[in-house]
Amino acid sequence: MNEYRTHKCNELRIEDIGKKVKIAGWVQTIRNLGGLIFADIRDEYGITQAVITVGEALAEDFSKIPVESTVSIEGIVRERESKNKNIPTGDIEIAIENYVVLGKRLKPLPFEINDDKEVREDLRLQYRFLDLRNDKVKENILLRAKVIQFIRNQMIEKDFTEVQTPILTSSSPEGARDYLVPSRVHPGKFYALPQAPQQFKQLLMVSGIDKYFQIAPCFRDEDARADRAPGEFYQLDMEMAFATQEDVFNVIEEVIYNTFKKFTVSNVSKFPFERITYRDSMLKYGSDKPDLRNPLIIQDVSKIFETIEFNAFKGKIVRAIVLPKQENLSRKFYDGMVTFAIEDCKAKGLSWVKVNEGNVLQGSIAKFIDDVSKDNLLKELGAKEGDSIFFVSDEKGVVEKLAGQIRTELAVRLDLLEKDSYKFCWVIDFPMYELDDDGNIAFSHNPFSMPQGGLKALEEKEPLDILAYQYDLVCNGIELSSGAVRNHDPEIMIKAFEIAGYSKKHIEEKFPAMFNAFHYGAPPHAGIAPGIDRIIMLIANEVNIREVIAFPMNSKAQDLLMGAPGTVTEKQLKDVHIKIDVKE
């Protein structure tokens, strides 16, 4: 029998009246109402009210217990006179016969627990153990545990084998900065924390594991964003042997759909999810992470403006967004969008017209559009009377982003996003290569992806025309995961890296284990790695990923609770053969 409690703080009901029970938890409130002293006792599961009569032997000391102290309460369950229908135990209370203070609060609270008032984030993170007592924060962490368990069970049911891969590994160029760990035994050499289990999971495929998964920690020295935690994050890492892109989609779509359906009450895209090519995504949505809740679509009207004498569009790519008829849009709204484009998006400008009665155009560039061009424009765009059209022009590689930002801002300002829905899609057919800032050919995505068309495509096509079997899963404008069919053929790999300016020696030096393994009968394989933190952030309807992580770092990659990063002693540095030179 538990020494501290017989029941949790959410278990007692009206049928328990007359029982002698014991509960334990935190004192959330104490209220002295003259003749009676009431206390709400809280644990992870809920709240139970306890009461003692003023004048009883225990009452005076009980009333002095600091809130947020831990106690064990023993007494008789009785019916409450004033019931609380908002909690499961609202019909009963415990008449206190005995109590023990198990852990007294000895310091003032830095902020009130379960207070609706905003608390500074740095204070919340410094006292995270208190912040986690807050119902909303605690529920996010409990939700996280349930989601991970549900996902794990689904993968096991699908015959995936859970395998843990190393945390201490070798440094490799995988797109982000490594966290380095100095070796004590091997002076001057370093381990690296894995940016992802990418190489290990591919090695497992060569080893004969047919379907692998794990809830994997990943470590990247990247700057924080609202949807990216600095330092570390978790992903549902998975890989399948003898698998195609469609095989991966079939597994993940069902897992993701089932997870969102179980833990939300919102509308969830039914699978198979919509497939959008990278090219179409950049054109229609101005992003490779399209938010399909936004009904606005971007269209290309460059050809129409080739015959229109408007110098700002000459020689440029021109994109248009049709805004369906809105009531009471003032000139101030249009001017506000122009200001946003110039000041926030750093665009050279934003042009617009409104389609008035009789298809008469009104707006900043209406006078430049002749009747023939106007008719062609309205027909091409499908614009009708009352609609507005916004135009963005710039060079390729810039115009897409600008049009996407305008599309998003219009939807936000006019509240056009579909409510209570999770819109999933796949972005597919990514280009294998792109031009870097210096104009050189570089990998645009995962360098270990299989090019569409294999070796023949690499040998015969222009690099920028080659597509890869790469895919991203996107939800509501957030990238949930990236994946690819892997390049398992050493000959194709050598050629792929050669196009990007790397030699065979580079592959052998940077990826020795995997490149070597592929010479020993590697199966075709494919995988993906949905982000656990982002999945839970979306399900919990939080805008910041730190709200769904138990002990997150702040935006500057600092752990304010534990004081990391911190200094270490000279002896510790000497043990790992490091001397630091930091100027104050």
Side-chain angles (χ1 to χ4, degrees), residues 504-530:
K504 176 182 177 183
K505 184 178 179 181
H506 175 86
I507 306 173
E508 291 172 331
E509 289 178 349
K510 296 298 182 181
F511 312 100
M514 193 161 68
F515 186 66
N516 184 46
F518 286 169
H519 288 77
Y520 290 88
H525 54 282
I528 196 168

PDB file of all heavy atoms in Angstrom, residues 504-530:
ATOM      1  N   LYS A 504      35.951  11.574 -56.273  1.00  0.00           N
ATOM      2  CA  LYS A 504      35.722  10.297 -55.612  1.00  0.00           C
ATOM      3  C   LYS A 504      36.441  10.268 -54.263  1.00  0.00           C
ATOM      4  O   LYS A 504      35.913   9.736 -53.274  1.00  0.00           O
ATOM      5  CB  LYS A 504      36.216   9.161 -56.496  1.00  0.00           C
ATOM      6  CG  LYS A 504      36.101   7.782 -55.859  1.00  0.00           C
ATOM      7  CD  LYS A 504      36.666   6.707 -56.772  1.00  0.00           C
ATOM      8  CE  LYS A 504      36.632   5.334 -56.107  1.00  0.00           C
ATOM      9  NZ  LYS A 504      37.238   4.282 -56.964  1.00  0.00           N
ATOM     10  N   LYS A 505      37.620  10.854 -54.213  1.00  0.00           N
ATOM     11  CA  LYS A 505      38.390  10.902 -52.967  1.00  0.00           C
ATOM     12  C   LYS A 505      37.621  11.626 -51.872  1.00  0.00           C
ATOM     13  O   LYS A 505      37.655  11.234 -50.701  1.00  0.00           O
ATOM     14  CB  LYS A 505      39.732  11.583 -53.209  1.00  0.00           C
ATOM     15  CG  LYS A 505      40.647  11.601 -51.994  1.00  0.00           C
ATOM     16  CD  LYS A 505      41.985  12.253 -52.316  1.00  0.00           C
ATOM     17  CE  LYS A 505      42.881  12.283 -51.073  1.00  0.00           C
ATOM     18  NZ  LYS A 505      44.181  12.943 -51.358  1.00  0.00           N
ATOM     19  N   HIS A 506      36.892  12.668 -52.241  1.00  0.00           N
ATOM     20  CA  HIS A 506      36.090  13.420 -51.262  1.00  0.00           C
ATOM     21  C   HIS A 506      35.027  12.517 -50.629  1.00  0.00           C
ATOM     22  O   HIS A 506      34.834  12.536 -49.409  1.00  0.00           O
ATOM     23  CB  HIS A 506      35.418  14.609 -51.956  1.00  0.00           C
ATOM     24  CG  HIS A 506      34.472  15.374 -51.070  1.00  0.00           C
ATOM     25  ND1 HIS A 506      34.867  16.380 -50.229  1.00  0.00           N
ATOM     26  CD2 HIS A 506      33.116  15.253 -50.890  1.00  0.00           C
ATOM     27  CE1 HIS A 506      33.827  16.853 -49.582  1.00  0.00           C
ATOM     28  NE2 HIS A 506      32.753  16.189 -49.959  1.00  0.00           N
ATOM     29  N   ILE A 507      34.351  11.724 -51.454  1.00  0.00           N
ATOM     30  CA  ILE A 507      33.319  10.819 -50.920  1.00  0.00           C
ATOM     31  C   ILE A 507      33.958   9.801 -49.980  1.00  0.00           C
ATOM     32  O   ILE A 507      33.440   9.511 -48.901  1.00  0.00           O
ATOM     33  CB  ILE A 507      32.595  10.085 -52.074  1.00  0.00           C
ATOM     34  CG1 ILE A 507      32.042  11.074 -53.089  1.00  0.00           C
ATOM     35  CG2 ILE A 507      31.465   9.214 -51.521  1.00  0.00           C
ATOM     36  CD1 ILE A 507      31.455  10.414 -54.326  1.00  0.00           C
ATOM     37  N   GLU A 508      35.101   9.249 -50.410  1.00  0.00           N
ATOM     38  CA  GLU A 508      35.776   8.232 -49.596  1.00  0.00           C
ATOM     39  C   GLU A 508      36.240   8.798 -48.262  1.00  0.00           C
ATOM     40  O   GLU A 508      36.213   8.096 -47.242  1.00  0.00           O
ATOM     41  CB  GLU A 508      36.967   7.673 -50.376  1.00  0.00           C
ATOM     42  CG  GLU A 508      36.569   6.844 -51.584  1.00  0.00           C
ATOM     43  CD  GLU A 508      37.758   6.455 -52.444  1.00  0.00           C
ATOM     44  OE1 GLU A 508      38.767   7.212 -52.464  1.00  0.00           O
ATOM     45  OE2 GLU A 508      37.693   5.401 -53.092  1.00  0.00           O
ATOM     46  N   GLU A 509      36.643  10.060 -48.245  1.00  0.00           N
ATOM     47  CA  GLU A 509      37.140  10.672 -47.008  1.00  0.00           C
ATOM     48  C   GLU A 509      36.017  11.121 -46.091  1.00  0.00           C
ATOM     49  O   GLU A 509      36.106  10.960 -44.875  1.00  0.00           O
ATOM     50  CB  GLU A 509      38.033  11.876 -47.344  1.00  0.00           C
ATOM     51  CG  GLU A 509      39.368  11.492 -47.962  1.00  0.00           C
ATOM     52  CD  GLU A 509      40.201  12.711 -48.326  1.00  0.00           C
ATOM     53  OE1 GLU A 509      39.647  13.842 -48.285  1.00  0.00           O
ATOM     54  OE2 GLU A 509      41.393  12.542 -48.647  1.00  0.00           O
ATOM     55  N   LYS A 510      34.960  11.686 -46.660  1.00  0.00           N
ATOM     56  CA  LYS A 510      33.885  12.252 -45.844  1.00  0.00           C
ATOM     57  C   LYS A 510      32.827  11.224 -45.450  1.00  0.00           C
ATOM     58  O   LYS A 510      32.184  11.363 -44.406  1.00  0.00           O
ATOM     59  CB  LYS A 510      33.225  13.421 -46.592  1.00  0.00           C
ATOM     60  CG  LYS A 510      34.149  14.602 -46.844  1.00  0.00           C
ATOM     61  CD  LYS A 510      34.643  15.208 -45.538  1.00  0.00           C
ATOM     62  CE  LYS A 510      35.522  16.425 -45.788  1.00  0.00           C
ATOM     63  NZ  LYS A 510      36.025  17.012 -44.506  1.00  0.00           N
ATOM     64  N   PHE A 511      32.620  10.221 -46.289  1.00  0.00           N
ATOM     65  CA  PHE A 511      31.573   9.231 -46.015  1.00  0.00           C
ATOM     66  C   PHE A 511      32.142   7.825 -46.206  1.00  0.00           C
ATOM     67  O   PHE A 511      31.613   7.033 -47.003  1.00  0.00           O
ATOM     68  CB  PHE A 511      30.365   9.452 -46.938  1.00  0.00           C
ATOM     69  CG  PHE A 511      29.903  10.885 -46.993  1.00  0.00           C
ATOM     70  CD1 PHE A 511      30.259  11.701 -48.054  1.00  0.00           C
ATOM     71  CD2 PHE A 511      29.130  11.415 -45.977  1.00  0.00           C
ATOM     72  CE1 PHE A 511      29.845  13.022 -48.116  1.00  0.00           C
ATOM     73  CE2 PHE A 511      28.709  12.739 -46.021  1.00  0.00           C
ATOM     74  CZ  PHE A 511      29.070  13.539 -47.087  1.00  0.00           C
ATOM     75  N   PRO A 512      33.206   7.494 -45.507  1.00  0.00           N
ATOM     76  CA  PRO A 512      33.912   6.237 -45.788  1.00  0.00           C
ATOM     77  C   PRO A 512      33.086   4.987 -45.552  1.00  0.00           C
ATOM     78  O   PRO A 512      33.108   4.057 -46.366  1.00  0.00           O
ATOM     79  CB  PRO A 512      35.120   6.303 -44.855  1.00  0.00           C
ATOM     80  CG  PRO A 512      34.720   7.234 -43.756  1.00  0.00           C
ATOM     81  CD  PRO A 512      33.844   8.251 -44.407  1.00  0.00           C
ATOM     82  N   ALA A 513      32.372   4.937 -44.431  1.00  0.00           N
ATOM     83  CA  ALA A 513      31.636   3.706 -44.092  1.00  0.00           C
ATOM     84  C   ALA A 513      30.525   3.438 -45.100  1.00  0.00           C
ATOM     85  O   ALA A 513      30.368   2.313 -45.601  1.00  0.00           O
ATOM     86  CB  ALA A 513      31.058   3.815 -42.682  1.00  0.00           C
ATOM     87  N   MET A 514      29.748   4.473 -45.411  1.00  0.00           N
ATOM     88  CA  MET A 514      28.605   4.266 -46.300  1.00  0.00           C
ATOM     89  C   MET A 514      29.062   3.971 -47.726  1.00  0.00           C
ATOM     90  O   MET A 514      28.535   3.060 -48.380  1.00  0.00           O
ATOM     91  CB  MET A 514      27.692   5.492 -46.266  1.00  0.00           C
ATOM     92  CG  MET A 514      26.333   5.264 -46.889  1.00  0.00           C
ATOM     93  SD  MET A 514      25.112   6.472 -46.376  1.00  0.00           S
ATOM     94  CE  MET A 514      25.751   7.939 -47.159  1.00  0.00           C
ATOM     95  N   PHE A 515      30.049   4.728 -48.206  1.00  0.00           N
ATOM     96  CA  PHE A 515      30.533   4.498 -49.579  1.00  0.00           C
ATOM     97  C   PHE A 515      31.120   3.097 -49.712  1.00  0.00           C
ATOM     98  O   PHE A 515      30.897   2.401 -50.700  1.00  0.00           O
ATOM     99  CB  PHE A 515      31.564   5.562 -49.943  1.00  0.00           C
ATOM    100  CG  PHE A 515      32.009   5.499 -51.374  1.00  0.00           C
ATOM    101  CD1 PHE A 515      31.119   5.777 -52.400  1.00  0.00           C
ATOM    102  CD2 PHE A 515      33.313   5.163 -51.696  1.00  0.00           C
ATOM    103  CE1 PHE A 515      31.526   5.715 -53.730  1.00  0.00           C
ATOM    104  CE2 PHE A 515      33.730   5.098 -53.020  1.00  0.00           C
ATOM    105  CZ  PHE A 515      32.833   5.381 -54.041  1.00  0.00           C
ATOM    106  N   ASN A 516      31.843   2.670 -48.709  1.00  0.00           N
ATOM    107  CA  ASN A 516      32.412   1.315 -48.715  1.00  0.00           C
ATOM    108  C   ASN A 516      31.315   0.251 -48.682  1.00  0.00           C
ATOM    109  O   ASN A 516      31.355  -0.745 -49.412  1.00  0.00           O
ATOM    110  CB  ASN A 516      33.355   1.149 -47.526  1.00  0.00           C
ATOM    111  CG  ASN A 516      34.060  -0.204 -47.530  1.00  0.00           C
ATOM    112  OD1 ASN A 516      34.564  -0.651 -48.562  1.00  0.00           O
ATOM    113  ND2 ASN A 516      34.087  -0.852 -46.377  1.00  0.00           N
ATOM    114  N   ALA A 517      30.307   0.494 -47.820  1.00  0.00           N
ATOM    115  CA  ALA A 517      29.227  -0.485 -47.670  1.00  0.00           C
ATOM    116  C   ALA A 517      28.472  -0.702 -48.971  1.00  0.00           C
ATOM    117  O   ALA A 517      27.996  -1.818 -49.262  1.00  0.00           O
ATOM    118  CB  ALA A 517      28.266  -0.032 -46.574  1.00  0.00           C
ATOM    119  N   PHE A 518      28.346   0.356 -49.778  1.00  0.00           N
ATOM    120  CA  PHE A 518      27.587   0.243 -51.025  1.00  0.00           C
ATOM    121  C   PHE A 518      28.287  -0.638 -52.059  1.00  0.00           C
ATOM    122  O   PHE A 518      27.710  -0.943 -53.103  1.00  0.00           O
ATOM    123  CB  PHE A 518      27.335   1.635 -51.614  1.00  0.00           C
ATOM    124  CG  PHE A 518      26.289   2.429 -50.862  1.00  0.00           C
ATOM    125  CD1 PHE A 518      26.101   3.777 -51.119  1.00  0.00           C
ATOM    126  CD2 PHE A 518      25.491   1.836 -49.892  1.00  0.00           C
ATOM    127  CE1 PHE A 518      25.149   4.507 -50.439  1.00  0.00           C
ATOM    128  CE2 PHE A 518      24.532   2.558 -49.209  1.00  0.00           C
ATOM    129  CZ  PHE A 518      24.356   3.905 -49.479  1.00  0.00           C
ATOM    130  N   HIS A 519      29.508  -1.050 -51.780  1.00  0.00           N
ATOM    131  CA  HIS A 519      30.212  -1.973 -52.666  1.00  0.00           C
ATOM    132  C   HIS A 519      29.934  -3.436 -52.304  1.00  0.00           C
ATOM    133  O   HIS A 519      30.508  -4.351 -52.910  1.00  0.00           O
ATOM    134  CB  HIS A 519      31.727  -1.711 -52.617  1.00  0.00           C
ATOM    135  CG  HIS A 519      32.152  -0.443 -53.288  1.00  0.00           C
ATOM    136  ND1 HIS A 519      31.985   0.801 -52.709  1.00  0.00           N
ATOM    137  CD2 HIS A 519      32.727  -0.229 -54.498  1.00  0.00           C
ATOM    138  CE1 HIS A 519      32.456   1.732 -53.534  1.00  0.00           C
ATOM    139  NE2 HIS A 519      32.918   1.133 -54.628  1.00  0.00           N
ATOM    140  N   TYR A 520      29.076  -3.654 -51.309  1.00  0.00           N
ATOM    141  CA  TYR A 520      28.833  -5.017 -50.835  1.00  0.00           C
ATOM    142  C   TYR A 520      27.357  -5.409 -50.972  1.00  0.00           C
ATOM    143  O   TYR A 520      26.755  -5.978 -50.064  1.00  0.00           O
ATOM    144  CB  TYR A 520      29.281  -5.154 -49.373  1.00  0.00           C
ATOM    145  CG  TYR A 520      30.785  -5.092 -49.200  1.00  0.00           C
ATOM    146  CD1 TYR A 520      31.424  -3.874 -49.031  1.00  0.00           C
ATOM    147  CD2 TYR A 520      31.568  -6.250 -49.225  1.00  0.00           C
ATOM    148  CE1 TYR A 520      32.804  -3.798 -48.885  1.00  0.00           C
ATOM    149  CE2 TYR A 520      32.938  -6.191 -49.078  1.00  0.00           C
ATOM    150  CZ  TYR A 520      33.554  -4.956 -48.915  1.00  0.00           C
ATOM    151  OH  TYR A 520      34.923  -4.894 -48.774  1.00  0.00           O
ATOM    152  N   GLY A 521      26.776  -5.083 -52.098  1.00  0.00           N
ATOM    153  CA  GLY A 521      25.409  -5.518 -52.352  1.00  0.00           C
ATOM    154  C   GLY A 521      24.374  -4.726 -51.589  1.00  0.00           C
ATOM    155  O   GLY A 521      23.652  -5.288 -50.759  1.00  0.00           O
ATOM    156  N   ALA A 522      24.282  -3.437 -51.862  1.00  0.00           N
ATOM    157  CA  ALA A 522      23.306  -2.580 -51.179  1.00  0.00           C
ATOM    158  C   ALA A 522      21.942  -2.685 -51.849  1.00  0.00           C
ATOM    159  O   ALA A 522      21.841  -2.637 -53.077  1.00  0.00           O
ATOM    160  CB  ALA A 522      23.783  -1.130 -51.191  1.00  0.00           C
ATOM    161  N   PRO A 523      20.861  -2.822 -51.071  1.00  0.00           N
ATOM    162  CA  PRO A 523      19.529  -2.847 -51.672  1.00  0.00           C
ATOM    163  C   PRO A 523      19.048  -1.434 -51.983  1.00  0.00           C
ATOM    164  O   PRO A 523      19.477  -0.464 -51.343  1.00  0.00           O
ATOM    165  CB  PRO A 523      18.663  -3.461 -50.566  1.00  0.00           C
ATOM    166  CG  PRO A 523      19.311  -2.980 -49.304  1.00  0.00           C
ATOM    167  CD  PRO A 523      20.790  -2.955 -49.589  1.00  0.00           C
ATOM    168  N   PRO A 524      18.182  -1.264 -52.963  1.00  0.00           N
ATOM    169  CA  PRO A 524      17.520   0.040 -53.115  1.00  0.00           C
ATOM    170  C   PRO A 524      16.782   0.355 -51.819  1.00  0.00           C
ATOM    171  O   PRO A 524      16.207  -0.548 -51.185  1.00  0.00           O
ATOM    172  CB  PRO A 524      16.532  -0.194 -54.265  1.00  0.00           C
ATOM    173  CG  PRO A 524      17.004  -1.434 -54.943  1.00  0.00           C
ATOM    174  CD  PRO A 524      17.676  -2.264 -53.897  1.00  0.00           C
ATOM    175  N   HIS A 525      16.811   1.601 -51.388  1.00  0.00           N
ATOM    176  CA  HIS A 525      16.124   1.937 -50.146  1.00  0.00           C
ATOM    177  C   HIS A 525      15.690   3.397 -50.151  1.00  0.00           C
ATOM    178  O   HIS A 525      16.206   4.221 -50.905  1.00  0.00           O
ATOM    179  CB  HIS A 525      16.984   1.628 -48.916  1.00  0.00           C
ATOM    180  CG  HIS A 525      18.341   2.258 -48.928  1.00  0.00           C
ATOM    181  ND1 HIS A 525      19.387   1.768 -49.674  1.00  0.00           N
ATOM    182  CD2 HIS A 525      18.840   3.340 -48.269  1.00  0.00           C
ATOM    183  CE1 HIS A 525      20.480   2.499 -49.482  1.00  0.00           C
ATOM    184  NE2 HIS A 525      20.163   3.475 -48.639  1.00  0.00           N
ATOM    185  N   ALA A 526      14.717   3.702 -49.318  1.00  0.00           N
ATOM    186  CA  ALA A 526      14.143   5.046 -49.257  1.00  0.00           C
ATOM    187  C   ALA A 526      13.649   5.298 -47.837  1.00  0.00           C
ATOM    188  O   ALA A 526      13.344   4.365 -47.100  1.00  0.00           O
ATOM    189  CB  ALA A 526      12.990   5.182 -50.250  1.00  0.00           C
ATOM    190  N   GLY A 527      13.567   6.571 -47.484  1.00  0.00           N
ATOM    191  CA  GLY A 527      13.124   6.898 -46.130  1.00  0.00           C
ATOM    192  C   GLY A 527      12.683   8.333 -45.989  1.00  0.00           C
ATOM    193  O   GLY A 527      12.626   9.100 -46.967  1.00  0.00           O
ATOM    194  N   ILE A 528      12.406   8.689 -44.750  1.00  0.00           N
ATOM    195  CA  ILE A 528      11.915  10.023 -44.420  1.00  0.00           C
ATOM    196  C   ILE A 528      12.044  10.193 -42.916  1.00  0.00           C
ATOM    197  O   ILE A 528      12.301   9.217 -42.186  1.00  0.00           O
ATOM    198  CB  ILE A 528      10.439  10.192 -44.879  1.00  0.00           C
ATOM    199  CG1 ILE A 528      10.036  11.667 -44.900  1.00  0.00           C
ATOM    200  CG2 ILE A 528       9.488   9.367 -44.000  1.00  0.00           C
ATOM    201  CD1 ILE A 528       8.712  11.909 -45.611  1.00  0.00           C
ATOM    202  N   ALA A 529      11.875  11.420 -42.428  1.00  0.00           N
ATOM    203  CA  ALA A 529      12.030  11.657 -40.984  1.00  0.00           C
ATOM    204  C   ALA A 529      11.154  12.821 -40.533  1.00  0.00           C
ATOM    205  O   ALA A 529      11.628  13.956 -40.396  1.00  0.00           O
ATOM    206  CB  ALA A 529      13.493  11.937 -40.647  1.00  0.00           C
ATOM    207  N   PRO A 530       9.847  12.592 -40.317  1.00  0.00           N
ATOM    208  CA  PRO A 530       8.973  13.666 -39.822  1.00  0.00           C
ATOM    209  C   PRO A 530       9.435  14.190 -38.466  1.00  0.00           C
ATOM    210  O   PRO A 530       9.845  13.420 -37.597  1.00  0.00           O
ATOM    211  CB  PRO A 530       7.601  12.977 -39.709  1.00  0.00           C
ATOM    212  CG  PRO A 530       7.682  11.810 -40.630  1.00  0.00           C
ATOM    213  CD  PRO A 530       9.104  11.355 -40.580  1.00  0.00           C
TER     214      PRO A 530
END
